Amino acid sequence: MSEKCNCGCGGEHKHHIEEESKYDFVLKEYAPAQSDSEVAAEVKKLIDEKVEGNNTLEVKKFLFNCIDLTTLKCTDSEESVLEFTEKVNKFGKEFPDLDNVAAICVYPNFAQIVSQTLEEDYVGIACVSGGFPSSQTFQEIKVAETAMAIHDGATEIDIVLSVGKFLSGDYEGVCDEIQELKNVCGDKHLKVILETGALKSAENIKKASILSIYSGADFIKTSTGKESPAATPEAAYVMCSTIKEYYQKTGRKIGFKPAGGINTVHDALVYYTIVKELLGEEWLTNKLFRLGTSRLANLCLSEIVGKEMKFF
C-alpha cells in the first residue's frame, strides 16, 4: 500500500493484507480478460459483419443525440464557451425535428456560463474535473473542483482514473478516490475516464473497469483525448464486456462513453455496433451511451440532412 499506516506498525499488521486483498477478491469474481489478440479478432469480426447493417439514417440521428459536444482547449474563454452554448440553443430552434446533442462538456470554471446560457432542457452540462487530464493533484483539490462545478450547474462529472496508482498496484488508493468523488456527486452522474491508451492491455482495461464500477462510477469512459492512442474499438469491446458481466451479476446498468479520436461517422458506427452487439438494445439510449467528440457533430449532421454542414 502506498499510504503510511497511522497505527505505527510499518505496514506489517494483518489488517493491511486484508485491506489490500479486498480489491483482489473483487477482481477474482470476474472472468479473466481475453488476450489482446482474441479481443482484436472479435472486434474485427464485428466490424466486418455488423457495422454496415447499422449504417442508417435513424442510427445517425441517434448517434447525434448521444454526442457530448466538447470544448477542452487552452484557448477556451467565457466568450468562446458562451458562443459554443448558443450554437446548441440555435440548433434546437433551427432543427426542431431532430434531437439535440446529449450534453455540453467543458472545463469546470465554465459550468456557470453554460448553466446560465443553455436553453435546451434535455441537454446536460458535463464538466471534466479532478485534475483533468492527468489526475495528478491533491485529492482535496479534486473534491473541491468537483463540488464547485456541481454548485455552478454541472449535471455530470467526468474524472480521470489515477492511472499511476493503478499501474503501481495501489487499488485501494484508486477506489478511495472514486468513492469520495462519487459521494460529492450524489445523484449527478460520475463518468470515470480510464485513459485506456496508457493502460495498454486488455487485462489492465478490464481491471480498471471493474474497480471503477465497484467504486461507484455511473459511466466508464475510454479516454481524455489528450493521450495517444485515445478511444479504440478494442478498448471499447473490453469495457462493454465488463459492463455486461457486471450487469449479469448485479442487475445494475453502467453507461459507456468512447472519447478521443472519433473522427468519422464510421468510427461512431463501430462503437454503436459494439454496444448493440454486446449490451443490447437496452443500452441504445443516451442515458447509457455517449460519444465524447465535437468534430462528429457536423459530420453526422451533414449525413442526416444530405449536404455538408458546418453548424457547430
Side-chain angles (χ1 to χ4, degrees), residues 208-241:
S209 298
I210 294 166
L211 294 175
S212 297
I213 294 169
Y214 173 77
S215 302
D218 299 294
F219 263 77
I220 50 176
K221 175 178 169 183
T222 58
S223 322
T224 61
K226 307 296 184 183
E227 294 282 335
S228 184
T232 65
E234 290 76 18
Y237 184 92
V238 175
M239 292 166 72
C240 288
S241 297

Side-chain angles (χ1 to χ4, degrees), residues 80-93:
S80 70
V81 171
L82 177 66
E83 183 180 346
F84 191 73
T85 308
E86 288 288 14
K87 288 179 181 178
V88 174
N89 293 336
K90 185 180 176 185
F91 180 88
K93 296 180 179 72

Side-chain angles (χ1 to χ4, degrees), residues 43-280:
V43 168
K44 183 180 185 304
K45 183 179 179 184
L46 275 181
I47 292 173
D48 289 347
E49 296 179 2
K50 301 290 186 178
V51 171
E52 190 52 40
N54 294 321
N55 188 8
T56 69
L57 179 62
E58 288 307 310
V59 169
K60 290 169 188 174
K61 289 179 180 179
F62 169 73
L63 291 173
F64 184 88
N65 185 228
C66 292
I67 292 172
D68 281 356
L69 196 70
T70 303
T71 180
L72 297 171
K73 303 190 293 288
C74 66
T75 54
D76 288 343
S77 65
E78 291 188 0
E79 292 77 13
S80 70
V81 171
L82 177 66
E83 183 180 346
F84 191 73
T85 308
E86 288 288 14
K87 288 179 181 178
V88 174
N89 293 336
K90 185 180 176 185
F91 180 88
K93 296 180 179 72
E94 293 196 13
F95 296 89
D97 296 332
L98 293 177
D99 290 328
N100 214 322
V101 295
I104 296 174
C105 184
V106 295
Y107 283 114
N109 49 309
F110 296 119
Q112 189 173 51
I113 296 284
V114 179
S115 180
Q116 291 174 344
T117 308
L118 185 62
E119 299 169 357
E120 294 288 282
D121 293 339
Y122 297 101
V123 177
I125 302 170
C127 285
V128 294
S129 183
F132 181 92
S134 65
S135 195
Q136 299 287 15
T137 190
F138 301 102
Q139 179 68 359
E140 293 84 355
I141 300 296
K142 297 179 181 183
V143 168
E145 190 175 50
T146 301
M148 291 171 74
I150 291 171
H151 178 268
D152 281 354
T155 60
E156 306 171 6
I157 296 293
D158 292 30
I159 65 165
V160 185
L161 180 93
S162 288
V163 177
K165 287 183 179 181
F166 174 84
L167 292 175
S168 63
D170 182 11
Y171 298 154
E172 181 184 5
V174 169
C175 293
D176 284 354
E177 280 194 357
I178 296 170
Q179 287 168 359
E180 186 170 6
L181 292 173
K182 177 55 186 172
N183 287 338
V184 175
C185 288
D187 62 354
K188 306 292 190 292
H189 271 181
L190 177 68
K191 306 190 197 92
V192 177
I193 305 166
L194 306 186
E195 201 65 284
T196 52
L199 297 179
K200 299 187 184 302
S201 69
E203 181 181 8
N204 279 340
I205 292 169
K206 179 158 190 177
K207 285 182 179 179
S209 298
I210 294 166
L211 294 175
S212 297
I213 294 169
Y214 173 77
S215 302
D218 299 294
F219 263 77
I220 50 176
K221 175 178 169 183
T222 58
S223 322
T224 61
K226 307 296 184 183
E227 294 282 335
S228 184
T232 65
E234 290 76 18
Y237 184 92
V238 175
M239 292 166 72
C240 288
S241 297
T242 307
I243 290 170
K244 180 179 181 179
E245 195 174 352
Y246 179 79
Y247 174 67
Q248 289 171 339
K249 288 178 181 294
T250 67
R252 181 171 170 240
K253 294 177 181 175
I254 301 299
F256 170 66
K257 178 180 173 180
I262 304 173
N263 297 319
T264 66
V265 175
H266 181 267
D267 290 340
L269 287 169
V270 168
Y271 293 115
Y272 172 92
T273 300
I274 290 170
V275 170
K276 181 181 178 182
E277 293 300 319
L278 291 182
L279 295 171

